[in-house]
């Protein structure tokens, strides 16, 4: 029993998070391998090759027009080398999470497909950041970016009209959306997302990237900065006229200029259109 | 409700934050069978509400936000600057006493215990007492049990320390006995007459006084000073200070952290 009082039962919330279907063992093993950073691509390919459905999915992705393949890819080994381990992991996670994350989340004003669309846009943005930032971005960032808002999926079920009114009123006196969640609910969607990632057995670097995606300064790992910026860039990708304002110090820590961020967002818009079919974005 | 909170716990409920009171009390009102929050408040005001219900309401109105290693820097200062000096100062007595005031669910007190265990092995054969106090019986019970949810241990507790000092207990993490024995939790309302307290080497009272009015803050600081020795140190929250409240304290800065010592201008009450 939790000793604090609030409009939602935190134990109940955590139980709900822990009731999400587990990820396939191959995906968890792949995530663990990639977060070690000293992995060999052949090891990644071996994990994939044991999962027939996954291998088929990766072959389709590796042979898609978006990858501009010159020759046809026919083995898991070649698919992993073509796509890279980070993208392979993102596709693995997406194939499990996509179907459950497609639903509407009315508590957050998200229509059907809205949460997943934003998640895939963030994953795409993190991929672009990895190429553009002078600070090295760890490969599991793509997956953390894909899952950064997964907490909303569970939290959304708990947000009644009454609670939404309290959150609105908190925002009305100057709190950010995240601060309002913390004040009223005593937990925010990033923290809940971290619980889900732990439940799925994903590496702690991914958990930290999800938990701290709104306040990366609270945790020293680069993945937190990268997911935070990917979240902002995703908003530009989804709405090209949106104005995004990275928090002080974020671009400097990642080794990226504001102009480079703008260019990266512009390029990502076209790339997002190319890859969204692969991730089942509607 | 504002009057109820001020009278019973000296908590100032700011105008504009009515949503917070509603969000904390509505579930209790429903649980108690009241049709509306207004009806519940009327019941509380009538004086017919039993003492335990009044305590539950106070518990709910109290902000219990806390985490392990909250704000990080104070614990670095404790480790690098404060404890090394106090260990020298108290070498003859071999005794260290720390107070975590308004300790909530105990994370601050256990953090202090972990800092001592991790970095001051020479204190193993000292008498080390970490005392946590709070007015809420519900949070004290959790602190005494030393059982925390995954959400709570995720807040600031590094994985190596979780594994070293906690054991999985069902869906909770339980503080291991070695650490648990270092900490003692007691009920105490800072705005009511204080019990007899020992002299403290270090006092943590962070992010508590922001909820009190000026006169209450002054009274608490004066009484805190009376519990301090010349070498003792007081930690306040980052948004808190003794300036304009108590001239008896001198501020000493260590990088990002300010601490307070009893100064020359102090006149003990």
């Amino acid at each position: 029993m939790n000793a604090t009082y609030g409009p939602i039962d935190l134990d109940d919330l955590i139980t709900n998070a822990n009731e999400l279907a587990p990820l396939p063992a191959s995906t968890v093993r792949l995530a663990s391998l990639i977060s070690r950073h000293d992995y060999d691509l052949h090891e990644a390919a071996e994990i994939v090759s044991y999962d027939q459905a996954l291998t088929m999915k990766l072959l389709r992705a590796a042979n898609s027009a978006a990858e501009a393949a010159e020759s046809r890819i026919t083995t898991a080994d070649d698919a992993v080398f073509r796509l890279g381990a980070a993208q392979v992991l993102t596709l693995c996670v997406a194939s499990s999470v996509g179907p459950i994350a497609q639903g509407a989340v009315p508590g957050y004003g998200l229509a059907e497909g809205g949460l997943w669309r934003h998640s895939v846009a963030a994953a795409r943005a993190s991929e672009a950041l990895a190429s553009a930032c002078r600070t090295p971005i760890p490969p599991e960032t793509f997956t953390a970016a894909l899952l950064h808002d997964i907490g909303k999926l569970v939290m959304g079920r708990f947000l009644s009209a009454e609670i939404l009114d309290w959150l609105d009123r908190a925002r009305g006196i100057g709190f950010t959306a995240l601060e309002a969640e913390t004040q009223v609910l005593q937990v925010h969607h990033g923290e809940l997302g971290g619980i889900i990632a732990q439940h799925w057995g994903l590496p702690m670097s991914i958990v930290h990237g999800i938990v701290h995606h709104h306040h990366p300064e609270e945790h020293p790992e680069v993945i937190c900065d990268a997911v935070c910026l990917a979240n902002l860039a995703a908003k530009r990708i989804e709405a090209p006229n949106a104005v995004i304002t990275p928090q002080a110090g974020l671009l400097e820590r990642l080794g990226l200029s504001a102009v480079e961020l703008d260019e990266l967002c512009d390029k990502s818009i076209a790339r997002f259109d190319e890859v969204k079919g692969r991730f089942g974005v509607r | 409700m504002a009057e109820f909170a001020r009278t019973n716990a000296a908590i100032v409920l700011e105008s504009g934050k009515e949503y917070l009171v509603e969000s904390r009390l509505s579930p209790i009102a429903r649980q108690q069978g009241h049709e509306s929050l207004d009806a519940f408040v009327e019941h509380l005001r009538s004086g017919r509400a039993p003492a335990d219900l009044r305590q539950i309401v106070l518990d709910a109105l109290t902000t219990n936000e806390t985490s392990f290693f909250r704000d990080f820097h104070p614990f670095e200062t404790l480790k690098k600057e404060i404890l090394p000096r106090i260990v020298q100062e108290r070498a003859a007595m071999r005794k260290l006493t720390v107070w975590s005031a308004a300790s909530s669910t105990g994370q601050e007190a256990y953090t202090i215990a972990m800092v001592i265990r991790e970095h001051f092995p020479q204190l193993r054969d000292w008498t080390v007492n970490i005392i946590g106090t709070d007015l809420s019986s519900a949070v004290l019970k959790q602190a005494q049990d030393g059982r925390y949810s995954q959400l709570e241990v995720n807040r600031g507790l590094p994985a190596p320390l979780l594994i070293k000092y906690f054991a999985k207990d069902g869906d909770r993490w339980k503080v291991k006995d070695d650490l648990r024995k270092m900490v003692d939790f007691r009920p105490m309302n800072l705005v009511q007459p204080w019990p007899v307290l020992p002299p403290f080497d270090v006092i943590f009272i962070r992010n508590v006084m922001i909820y009190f009015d000026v006169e209450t803050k002054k009274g608490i600081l004066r009484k805190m000073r009376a519990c301090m020795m010349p070498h003792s140190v007081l930690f306040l929250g980052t948004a808190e200070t003794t300036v304009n409240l108590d001239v008896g304290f001198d501020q000493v800065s260590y990088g990002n952290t300010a601490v307070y010592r009893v100064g020359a201008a102090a006149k003990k009450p």
Side-chain angles (χ1 to χ4, degrees):
Chain A
M1 180 66 193
N2 204 286
T4 51
Y5 294 86
I8 56 176
D9 182 331
L10 295 183
D11 288 339
D12 205 12
L13 188 67
I14 294 170
T15 302
N16 262 261
N18 288 334
E19 280 171 355
L20 287 178
L23 294 181
S26 56
T27 302
V28 177
R29 282 176 61 208
L30 197 61
S32 169
L33 175 79
I34 288 172
S35 69
R36 260 182 19 216
H37 297 179
D38 61 347
Y39 63 90
D40 183 315
L41 279 179
H42 290 291
E43 292 176 77
E46 194 185 346
I47 293 171
V48 169
S49 66
Y50 286 119
D51 188 328
Q52 214 174 0
L54 189 56
T55 303
M56 295 305 294
K57 199 167 288 221
L58 291 184
L59 289 178
R60 267 201 305 277
N63 285 310
S64 71
E67 295 309 321
E70 285 175 11
S71 56
R72 190 155 184 79
I73 301 292
T74 55
T75 67
D77 223 43
D78 287 346
V80 170
F81 274 81
R82 165 70 58 81
L83 295 168
Q87 203 180 141
V88 168
L89 176 62
T90 309
L91 282 165
C92 291
V93 172
S95 68
S96 299
V97 178
I100 57 168
Q102 291 281 13
V105 192
Y108 284 94
L110 292 163
E112 193 171 320
L115 175 68
W116 190 235
R117 182 185 169 82
H118 175 68
S119 303
V120 173
R124 170 57 211 135
S126 70
E127 204 181 329
L129 286 172
S131 314
C133 293
R134 277 168 281 280
T135 302
I137 306 295
E140 66 272 28
T141 301
F142 302 1
T143 300
L146 184 76
L147 298 177
H148 74 282
D149 270 347
I150 196 71
K152 287 183 177 177
L153 193 66
V154 173
M155 189 91 100
R157 298 176 197 161
F158 284 75
L159 302 182
S160 61
E162 188 181 39
I163 294 175
L164 287 172
D165 174 53
W166 293 327
L167 290 170
D168 269 349
R169 284 158 66 190
R171 285 192 294 268
I173 61 165
F175 289 111
T176 65
L178 197 82
E179 287 165 345
E181 277 182 14
T182 307
Q183 276 241 337
V184 175
L185 310 173
Q186 302 182 43
V187 60
H188 61 72
H189 68 271
E191 290 184 299
L192 191 60
I195 295 280
I196 295 168
Q198 281 177 303
H199 159 64
W200 280 338
L202 294 173
M204 283 310 286
S205 53
I206 293 180
V207 173
H208 291 145
I210 295 169
V211 171
H212 301 286
H213 75 265
H214 281 286
H215 287 288
E217 73 285 356
E218 289 175 352
H219 193 82
E221 287 179 70
V222 176
I223 194 169
C224 305
D225 285 331
V227 176
C228 176
L229 193 55
N231 177 35
L232 288 177
K235 290 173 185 167
R236 262 287 308 274
I237 292 171
E238 292 176 277
N241 293 325
V243 177
I244 56 170
T245 313
Q247 58 175 258
L250 183 59
L251 291 178
E252 289 79 358
R253 292 198 297 273
L254 288 169
L256 193 74
S257 69
V259 173
E260 287 169 323
L261 175 63
D262 256 355
E263 289 170 358
L264 176 153
C265 288
D266 290 341
K267 283 182 194 161
S268 294
I269 291 168
R271 172 76 176 160
F272 176 60
D273 280 338
E274 288 169 11
V275 302
K276 63 188 186 187
R278 185 189 303 166
F279 287 91
V281 172
R282 291 166 191 165
Chain B
M1 276 326 299
E3 183 56 34
F4 179 80
R6 189 165 58 242
T7 309
N8 290 280
I11 299 166
V12 179
L13 294 177
E14 294 164 44
S15 169
K17 284 201 170 180
E18 291 83 1
Y19 69 88
L20 202 56
V21 176
E22 288 177 35
S23 67
R24 301 272 173 91
L25 296 191
S26 293
I28 302 172
R30 272 194 285 272
Q31 202 177 41
Q32 294 291 320
H34 292 274
E35 278 184 11
S36 67
L37 187 56
D38 286 344
F40 181 52
V41 171
E42 195 50 48
H43 176 60
L44 289 171
R45 288 175 60 183
S46 72
R48 293 194 308 272
D52 56 346
L53 179 59
R54 295 167 73 86
Q55 181 63 48
I56 287 171
V57 169
L58 271 186
D59 287 353
L61 290 175
T62 309
T63 296
N64 289 307
E65 187 187 340
T66 184
S67 59
F68 293 100
F69 291 92
R70 185 178 183 188
D71 302 331
F72 181 70
H73 297 295
F75 300 101
E76 283 297 290
T77 302
L78 180 71
K79 176 178 86 182
K80 291 178 180 164
E81 306 287 350
I82 307 301
L83 283 180
R85 289 173 202 205
I86 291 178
V87 167
Q88 275 189 340
E89 184 79 33
R90 302 283 274 167
M93 295 287 288
R94 303 171 76 79
K95 187 175 182 186
L96 176 72
T97 312
V98 183
W99 181 14
S100 168
S103 58
S104 184
T105 38
Q107 284 91 327
E108 182 177 76
Y110 289 123
T111 299
I112 296 164
M114 283 186 274
V115 168
I116 291 171
R117 274 288 176 265
E118 283 292 294
H119 302 286
F120 299 90
Q122 68 271 40
L123 300 191
R124 276 264 173 201
D125 57 355
W126 282 37
T127 304
V128 176
N129 288 316
I130 301 166
I131 298 169
T133 64
D134 203 283
L135 67 87
S136 160
S137 51
V139 297
L140 277 176
K141 185 176 182 318
Q142 188 185 342
Q144 272 159 349
D145 286 350
R147 292 172 86 245
Y148 297 96
S149 69
Q150 189 67 51
L151 194 64
E152 288 166 317
V153 298
N154 277 1
R155 290 172 175 160
L157 186 58
L161 296 184
L162 173 66
I163 301 301
K164 191 169 176 181
Y165 294 109
F166 293 75
K168 198 86 168 89
D169 181 21
D171 62 350
R172 294 283 199 263
W173 290 89
K174 186 166 173 52
V175 178
K176 289 182 181 172
D177 277 353
D178 176 49
L179 205 68
R180 176 68 198 83
K181 284 175 186 162
M182 293 173 69
V183 188
D184 179 27
F185 292 98
R186 305 172 188 176
M188 179 176 166
N189 188 334
L190 288 166
V191 299
Q192 285 175 5
W194 288 16
V196 176
L197 293 168
F200 293 103
D201 297 289
V202 184
I203 298 176
F204 279 77
I205 177 165
R206 301 190 303 145
N207 309 304
V208 177
M209 291 205 284
I210 44 174
Y211 299 104
F212 298 146
D213 61 34
V214 170
E215 286 312 310
T216 307
K217 287 177 191 173
K218 285 181 177 174
I220 290 173
L221 285 173
R222 193 175 62 247
K223 289 198 258 187
M224 288 265 169
R225 208 157 26 80
C227 299
M228 293 170 72
M229 297 172 275
H231 68 270
S232 303
V233 164
L234 173 72
F235 283 85
L236 297 175
T238 44
E240 296 167 326
T241 177
T242 61
V243 175
N244 294 332
L245 293 170
D246 193 322
V247 294
F249 284 101
D250 287 347
Q251 181 179 310
V252 185
S253 290
Y254 297 101
N256 290 320
T257 308
V259 301
Y260 300 85
R261 295 180 190 279
V262 177
K267 288 181 184 143
K268 302 252 175 171

